[in-house]
Amino acid sequence: MKVKTILMAGIITGGALLSCTQQSEKGKSGKSEIIGKSVPKIENGLMTPEVLYSFGRIGDVRVSPDRSKILYQVTYVSIQQNKTNPEFFVMDADGSNKKQITHTNSRESNPCWLDGGKKIAFLSNEGDTSQIWTMNLDGGDLAKLSEDEKGIDGFLFSPDEKKVLFVKNVTIKQPVSARYPDLPEASGRIIDDLMYKHWDQWVTEVPHPFVADVVNGKLQNIKDLLEGEPYESPMLPWGGIEQLAWSPDGKIIAYTCRKKTGKEYAISTNSDIYFYDLATGKTTNMTQGMMGYDTNPRFSPDGKYLAWQSMERDGYEADKNRLMVMDLATRQKTYVTENFDYNTDAIQWADDSRHIYLIACVEAKTQIFVADFLTKEVKPVTQGQHDYLSVALGGQGKLIAKRQSMSKPDEIYSVDIISGKATELSFENKDILDQLKMGRVEERWIPTTDGKKMLTWVIFPPDFDSTKVYPALLYCQGGPQNTVSQFWSYRWNMQMMASDGYIIVAPNRRGLPGFGQEWLEQISGDYGGQNMKDYFSAIDALAKEPYVDKNHLGCTGASYGGFSVYWLAGHHNKRFKAFWAHAGIFNLEAQYLETEEMWFANWDMGGPYWDKSNAIAQRTYANSPHLFVDKWDTPIMISHGELDYRILASQGMMAFNAAQMRNIPSRMLIFPDENHWISKPQNGILFQREFKRWFDEWLMPSSENNSD
């Protein structure tokens, strides 16, 4: 069925769209039913994996040019079909008149407003490749704008909508058959430089920005801004269309790029902001000499200034993310957040071209702030126990923002700029949330071994009774530089774990942003050091509470959190009765040579293990968890994805083999089709079920496996 037919059918049925369930995988026609909003079965008000995967997931949020409407994306999940499906909605800026405007099993994404809000443009993979489409808000006048063979990954229309900037992949590594035409079936890859793999893929293609004229509803005069160059823009693996921007007059395109390849790329984070002049074709490096990450350019509304995010030091991916502003007439740079000791993100110019809205995580809560780039003053707009994820200008003194917490998935809010009061608009998940009992989330400051205070979140089971005793799980954060903020996760969901009957202890140990640079930077070169003492401080403090069963403590985490689990397994002095490590580093020497982003290994580990004169590096490798397997004495569960090129699955397999050889009760869960994350719905459900089964076996007092 063609997209136009499906879209129009969805619009005609109107409200019926909102009651779509996932009861069966196929309709009468034999085709898969359109994946829509779920109606999960909820018993006793408790979260289950199936309920967790029933929430609608709000994605892109776009405010109309006149700020009267909000266009947004919601992704629905089908456990049966093992797929997700994004759809578009539109509502008035006050949350009224909400309508679903697409109803397909194609993947719609990257929505934007056109023609003063009369039309929208978006990406759809109808026809197997992702292309740019346009349509009216009622589904009429549907048209396919692009016909690119490889497909398009993101786009931005010029301010006058006569041109479009888009991203697509270009080939930089030819297959073996290009060199040896007589070996067309040969599958080998010939590698002669670093950065041959990244995140979860072999690097044979990179994204490039292209610009084209829009003529009679089609793209013409297509130009590759990096034609003939092997560089990537946006930057892999996380960069998207936010790393590019149009100037207000449509004469300049700003793009983010790290113009390096091979080993030079693998050891450096030095990216820059480049200007491409459409009239002359000339490219200018606007941040020459700034040595760290420079990303996410934003032109001021009057076109006189450029704001962007900047890190100072090359090779340090967790450096402070500074807000910078450049006067484009004089090239003078202003370090706006010089007196603000926190990272900045999601920058948005105010209409006056002087103030900039942003989000920043401060003490494990992410709030909206406003910065005056002339005075360098940064003031909070919001407060409360939650995380804001995005911010956009609304009308009538309002901001439109996306927000989540440990107890609530993403929803869209209207925020009063003066008072900071937030009003929910989307209510996408209200019907599910109203049926669930969430555990209390407590903010606790715990003394550390070096005389500081550490914010630790304590999440209690629903219907918590302080006269009873509960097993507890220590949650170890990954990154290693990722705050344990008020995040909502579909894998490490605090309320999901608490609903299983556990008290969750989630410390913001050393090395996490949101507590100043000194706290953040302490971890680099100190793996196995103070941050591990912080973990012990957190769990020891909670173990003293009368409602915590100190004889039934568990520990879990992923990535650096998985490393933490492996390390703690050899040093915990019988504190814990069970461990679970996902995608963790087990052997640091192997990790140094297995990972792909060598800048991370060089900075955080201190350098290569063979440099015997490097005291920091030698201390790091002396703390490798594999060196302490002889001290392991506690059941351990290990999970890993085989498409993980950041931390190879061999790390998990080594740990499992070690446990087996030591006769430690152990189990392994391997995902052949997952990377560092777990993205497929049924794999996510499997992970949650096995997580509960493992810890219930060893931590619930009634377990026959338990021995005190």
Side-chain angles (χ1 to χ4, degrees):
M1 183 179 291
K2 297 297 184 183
V3 166
K4 185 171 184 177
T5 307
I6 299 173
L7 289 173
M8 292 304 294
I11 292 158
I12 291 169
T13 54
L17 297 177
L18 301 179
S19 63
C20 179
T21 67
Q22 301 170 161
Q23 299 271 324
S24 66
E25 182 176 345
K26 295 186 177 181
K28 294 179 181 179
S29 66
K31 294 183 178 181
S32 295
E33 286 189 354
I34 294 174
I35 299 169
K37 193 175 183 69
S38 295
V39 182
K41 182 179 180 180
I42 299 174
E43 297 181 355
N44 302 317
L46 296 179
M47 182 94 77
T48 65
E50 293 74 19
V51 173
L52 181 63
Y53 273 76
S54 295
F55 286 106
R57 307 179 185 188
I58 293 180
D60 292 328
V61 179
R62 301 286 184 260
V63 181
S64 64
D66 65 2
R67 300 177 187 173
S68 67
K69 295 183 182 298
I70 300 170
L71 172 66
Y72 63 102
Q73 177 196 58
V74 181
T75 297
Y76 296 115
V77 179
S78 169
I79 298 170
Q80 286 180 303
Q81 295 186 46
N82 201 27
K83 294 178 181 178
T84 60
N85 181 43
E87 302 282 13
F88 292 151
F89 289 76
V90 68
M91 62 182 171
D92 291 346
D94 62 0
S96 62
N97 297 319
K98 188 184 305 178
K99 297 176 183 177
Q100 184 172 346
I101 61 172
T102 62
H103 190 214
T104 81
N105 260 344
S106 301
R107 300 192 66 81
E108 290 89 26
S109 62
N110 200 163
C112 73
W113 294 93
L114 290 178
D115 194 16
K118 297 176 183 177
K119 300 175 74 70
I120 66 169
F122 58 97
L123 291 179
S124 172
N125 69 347
E126 168 72 9
D128 296 329
T129 58
S130 181
Q131 305 293 341
I132 304 173
W133 295 70
T134 62
M135 73 173 188
N136 298 334
L137 286 182
D138 64 359
D141 199 21
L142 184 71
K144 190 177 185 181
L145 188 65
S146 65
E147 294 282 358
D148 191 86
E149 181 180 0
K150 287 191 173 182
I152 290 173
D153 294 326
F155 68 92
L156 292 171
F157 274 85
S158 61
D160 63 6
E161 299 178 4
K162 294 180 179 180
K163 295 181 183 291
V164 65
L165 173 66
F166 65 91
V167 175
K168 74 167 185 174
N169 282 349
V170 298
T171 300
I172 60 169
K173 299 281 187 182
Q174 294 298 327
V176 167
S177 59
R179 179 179 292 272
Y180 302 109
D182 60 327
L183 303 176
E185 302 300 321
S187 61
R189 292 183 173 93
I190 301 172
I191 310 295
D192 54 18
D193 208 343
L194 288 182
M195 222 56 204
Y196 50 88
K197 59 182 173 65
H198 205 181
W199 195 247
D200 61 359
Q201 61 185 328
W202 293 87
V203 180
T204 59
E205 296 182 328
V206 295
H208 273 196
F210 290 74
V211 65
D213 296 322
V214 181
V215 181
N216 297 323
K218 295 296 178 184
L219 302 187
Q220 296 184 11
N221 306 318
I222 298 173
K223 169 67 176 176
D224 182 352
L225 274 59
L226 292 173
E227 186 172 2
E229 300 183 49
Y231 313 121
E232 61 187 31
S233 178
M235 297 189 299
L236 297 171
W238 307 119
I241 200 67
E242 75 284 349
Q243 292 193 351
L244 299 93
W246 284 96
S247 63
D249 61 8
K251 296 180 179 180
I252 299 292
I253 293 172
Y255 67 88
T256 306
C257 190
R258 177 170 41 201
K259 296 200 172 183
K260 302 176 186 297
T261 60
K263 180 180 177 182
E264 188 182 16
Y265 178 108
I267 64 175
S268 174
T269 59
N270 183 16
S271 66
D272 287 295
I273 304 297
Y274 293 85
F275 277 11
Y276 179 85
D277 188 310
L278 273 80
T280 66
K282 180 183 177 181
T283 298
T284 304
N285 186 345
M286 301 299 291
T287 57
Q288 183 74 39
M290 302 183 74
M291 300 310 296
Y293 275 130
D294 291 289
T295 62
N296 302 345
R298 297 287 184 274
F299 288 95
S300 61
D302 62 11
K304 295 180 179 179
Y305 304 99
L306 181 79
W308 77 100
Q309 292 169 260
S310 176
M311 295 187 185
E312 183 177 8
R313 290 166 282 186
D314 191 7
Y316 187 21
E317 70 172 12
D319 204 356
K320 180 183 177 183
N321 221 344
R322 307 171 298 173
L323 173 60
M324 305 292 292
V325 169
M326 180 186 296
D327 184 320
L328 294 177
T330 65
R331 298 285 184 92
Q332 180 179 349
K333 303 181 185 75
T334 300
Y335 178 8
V336 181
T337 52
E338 186 173 9
N339 304 313
F340 184 70
D341 199 19
Y342 307 97
N343 291 330
T344 59
D345 203 0
I347 55 179
Q348 168 69 57
W349 281 97
D351 290 328
D352 62 6
S353 293
R354 171 172 174 169
H355 293 88
I356 300 171
Y357 294 99
L358 57 95
I359 62 173
C361 186
V362 178
E363 295 186 348
K365 298 171 287 290
T366 304
Q367 307 292 355
I368 300 173
F369 292 80
V370 60
D372 183 328
F373 88 83
L374 295 181
T375 66
K376 298 185 180 181
E377 185 177 26
V378 182
K379 294 182 178 179
V381 175
T382 62
Q383 60 183 350
Q385 193 170 287
H386 44 241
D387 281 359
Y388 280 95
L389 305 176
S390 68
V391 59
L393 298 180
Q396 302 179 334
K398 300 291 195 298
L399 300 171
I400 303 300
K402 190 165 66 169
R403 193 178 91 182
Q404 64 179 206
S405 73
M406 286 183 176
S407 303
K408 190 173 185 178
D410 301 0
E411 295 286 357
I412 303 170
Y413 291 78
S414 174
V415 178
D416 185 272
I417 292 174
I418 301 301
S419 68
K421 180 183 177 182
T423 303
E424 185 173 348
L425 303 176
S426 52
F427 295 100
E428 171 61 36
N429 293 297
K430 186 178 187 302
D431 53 341
I432 298 177
L433 291 169
D434 283 350
Q435 300 177 68
L436 289 175
K437 293 182 289 187
M438 294 292 186
R440 177 167 57 92
V441 178
E442 178 181 293
E443 177 180 332
R444 186 177 296 203
W445 291 84
I446 291 174
T448 62
T449 58
D450 58 345
K452 300 182 184 297
K453 294 282 189 178
M454 173 176 60
L455 188 152
T456 298
W457 297 111
V458 183
I459 303 91
F460 295 88
D463 298 323
F464 170 74
D465 183 343
S466 62
T467 66
K468 297 181 179 179
V469 177
Y470 299 84
L473 295 177
L474 174 69
Y475 170 73
C476 301
Q477 179 68 307
Q481 296 96 349
N482 285 330
T483 312
V484 186
S485 61
Q486 276 294 306
F487 66 84
W488 175 272
S489 170
Y490 288 93
R491 179 166 42 127
W492 300 105
N493 188 283
M494 301 299 172
Q495 291 289 353
M496 176 74 255
M497 292 187 280
S499 290
D500 288 340
Y502 297 93
I503 292 174
I504 312 304
V505 182
N508 277 278
R509 46 89 180 147
R510 225 58 57 97
L512 300 186
F515 302 90
Q517 282 300 107
E518 180 183 351
W519 187 273
L520 168 69
E521 295 190 16
Q522 192 283 327
I523 195 173
S524 297
D526 191 39
Y527 284 20
Q530 181 60 50
N531 64 105
M532 297 300 166
K533 295 177 184 176
D534 291 346
Y535 281 136
F536 287 142
S537 294
I539 196 64
D540 288 349
L542 266 296
K544 294 176 183 176
E545 297 290 354
Y547 47 76
V548 172
D549 185 349
K550 66 181 180 180
N551 294 316
H552 294 96
L553 305 178
C555 177
T556 188
S559 195
Y560 184 83
F563 163 88
S564 302
V565 171
Y566 291 143
W567 191 93
L568 292 169
H571 296 82
H572 69 111
N573 196 23
K574 299 190 182 301
R575 284 177 173 84
F576 300 105
K577 290 297 173 65
F579 293 102
W580 180 305
H582 176 75
I585 305 169
F586 175 68
N587 184 323
L588 283 170
E589 290 188 3
Q591 173 67 10
Y592 182 82
L593 293 178
E594 287 179 344
T595 197
E596 67 323 17
E597 293 181 348
M598 298 303 300
W599 67 76
F600 172 80
N602 280 333
W603 190 283
D604 254 44
M605 296 181 189
Y609 62 84
W610 57 79
D611 185 356
K612 304 301 182 184
S613 64
N614 185 332
I616 294 176
Q618 292 308 308
R619 180 176 63 187
T620 295
Y621 297 109
N623 271 288
S624 180
H626 83 283
L627 298 177
F628 303 97
V629 169
D630 61 313
K631 308 260 189 332
W632 283 17
D633 58 5
T634 302
I636 187 166
M637 176 90 183
I638 293 153
S639 55
H640 220 115
E642 290 192 83
L643 296 181
D644 188 348
Y645 299 158
R646 177 63 43 89
I647 300 174
L648 297 190
S650 57
Q651 293 278 337
M653 294 175 186
M654 283 190 285
F656 176 71
N657 290 2
Q660 288 281 304
M661 294 300 291
R662 293 267 355 270
N663 294 318
I664 304 294
S666 47
R667 186 177 298 152
M668 182 165 62
L669 176 59
I670 287 288
F671 296 96
D673 54 349
E674 299 284 5
N675 58 26
H676 204 56
W677 314 121
I678 298 172
S679 59
K680 295 178 173 60
Q682 291 189 18
N683 283 342
I685 297 289
L686 174 62
F687 181 93
Q688 295 290 351
R689 289 178 181 176
E690 285 297 301
F691 187 91
K692 174 175 170 55
R693 182 167 78 99
W694 176 256
F695 280 119
D696 283 358
E697 284 180 12
W698 297 102
L699 299 186
M700 285 298 174
S702 60
S703 171
E704 63 183 16
N705 291 323
N706 242 316
S707 60
D708 296 336

